[in-house]
Amino acid sequence: MPRKRTMTSDLLTKQQGEVIKVGFLKKKGHVRRNWLDRWFVLTTEGMYYYKNRLDEKPVGVVPLFGSTAKEDTLQKHQHVFTCWTAEGKDYPVQASTRDEMMVWLKAISDAVTEREKRPSDATGEASKNPAAKGGAQDTPKKNGASAGAAKPDSDESSDED
């Protein structure tokens, strides 16, 4: 039986939409449930995440159509917010500070509001990870690491974060 395509799989073929915000956040994996540094690119279509900021192909995407994002005080870590998709999947994400978390939540809320104005089958123009070819950069705020430093993910061999 053929596998049903979802909004997530449709968006994962290539990054779509206008870039709104970029930066490093920690994302809780769906398989191993550990927290991994990921480069996030928020667009008008979805919140794409990459293993590092120079990657051109996203590891995953949180589709924005019908999604919500709120602070998640039930997590053991601080500065965590969770995005819930229309498909019922949750994406816990951790910022390094409360202020950074609030900025991301506002940007996601604005993107969702903008996305909801358009029909569900409409997609924005394709765009690439702005950092992959020398575009916009953001530096991680923890441990003094620079944006140019590759984030090792040796504990994660699967693309199933």
Side-chain angles (χ1 to χ4, degrees):
M1 181 182 327
R3 189 172 174 194
K4 181 183 173 192
R5 289 184 60 98
T6 63
M7 285 185 278
T8 302
S9 63
D10 289 340
L11 288 175
L12 199 51
T13 57
K14 63 184 176 198
Q15 183 179 302
Q16 298 175 13
E18 177 186 336
V19 174
I20 297 169
K21 181 161 179 52
V22 298
F24 280 106
L25 298 167
K26 290 188 180 290
K27 184 190 152 311
K28 191 172 187 177
H30 276 90
V31 176
R32 295 193 179 163
R33 305 306 286 170
N34 53 338
W35 292 88
L36 298 168
D37 287 322
R38 293 290 182 244
W39 174 256
F40 280 83
V41 178
L42 177 63
T43 74
T44 52
E45 295 299 318
M47 197 160 93
Y48 294 83
Y49 51 97
Y50 301 79
K51 284 193 176 185
N52 67 60
R53 73 175 184 86
L54 299 178
D55 287 349
E56 290 191 26
K57 183 179 180 208
V59 175
V61 61
V62 180
L64 292 183
F65 189 76
S67 295
T68 60
K70 294 184 180 169
E71 183 175 6
D72 191 344
T73 57
L74 298 177
Q75 296 286 337
K76 293 179 184 178
H77 300 279
Q78 292 183 328
H79 321 304
V80 174
F81 61 94
T82 298
C83 298
W84 289 274
T85 68
E87 297 169 337
K89 198 168 184 181
D90 67 313
Y91 293 85
V93 179
Q94 181 184 30
S96 58
T97 66
R98 178 160 179 75
D99 288 344
E100 182 185 20
M101 177 187 71
M102 298 309 287
V103 168
W104 274 97
L105 283 171
K106 171 80 168 103
I108 292 167
S109 174
D110 292 348
V112 168
T113 300
E114 180 62 31
R115 178 63 189 94
E116 299 281 328
K117 292 178 183 177
R118 296 190 315 266
S120 63
D121 59 357
T123 58
E125 284 186 29
S127 60
K128 291 189 176 187
N129 176 0
K133 296 286 185 194
Q137 296 181 8
D138 196 6
T139 57
K141 304 201 186 323
K142 283 196 161 188
N143 302 331
S146 69
K151 293 287 184 178
D153 282 339
S154 58
D155 61 332
E156 183 81 15
S157 59
S158 169
D159 282 350
E160 299 267 342
D161 305 344

